[in-house]
Amino acid sequence: KFRLLNLVKPCMCVLPEVNTPDRRIPFRQKVLWTAVSLFVFLVCSQIPLYGISTGKAADPFYWMRVILASNRGTLMELGISPIITSGMMM
């Protein structure tokens, strides 16, 4: 019987492996770090970029900004997509 796992098994030795955590992370600590990251995100959404004009011109990426949670002309120009991508990479 052929399985996809048997095909991938020879390559598994070169892939990185994540160890199980040494201790259980408390819920309060998770909530604290979530709140800190939300605060940083909200602050960065208010700081304007130098040299970017925020005129009243039409924004062709308006709906993309809604999906990615980005603000035009601020430090969060790219939105949450770099955060999501780095989370998927890890």
Side-chain angles (χ1 to χ4, degrees), residues 1 3 15 18 26-27 35 37 44 52 57 62 65 78-79 82 84 88-90:
K1 184 176 175 182
R3 292 180 59 185
L15 292 176
V18 178
F27 180 72
S37 62
C44 289
I52 304 291
Y62 174 75
R65 292 183 195 285
L78 296 175
I84 300 298
M88 286 190 289
M89 294 291 203
M90 300 213 41

Side-chain angles (χ1 to χ4, degrees), residues 5-75:
L5 186 60
N6 293 336
L7 183 66
V8 178
K9 210 169 218 175
C11 301
M12 295 294 284
C13 62
V14 293
L15 292 176
E17 186 176 329
V18 178
N19 295 332
T20 57
D22 296 336
R23 62 179 174 86
R24 188 170 184 276
I25 299 173
F27 180 72
R28 284 183 176 256
Q29 187 175 4
K30 291 179 186 179
V31 170
L32 174 71
W33 284 109
T34 302
V36 167
S37 62
L38 178 64
F39 177 74
V40 169
F41 179 82
L42 292 175
V43 167
C44 289
S45 294
Q46 301 301 318
I47 299 174
L49 289 173
Y50 178 73
I52 304 291
S53 62
T54 56
K56 299 205 186 272
D59 185 9
F61 298 112
Y62 174 75
W63 290 109
M64 188 66 113
R65 292 183 195 285
V66 171
I67 293 168
L68 296 176
S70 67
N71 289 345
R72 186 174 186 188
T74 65
L75 286 177

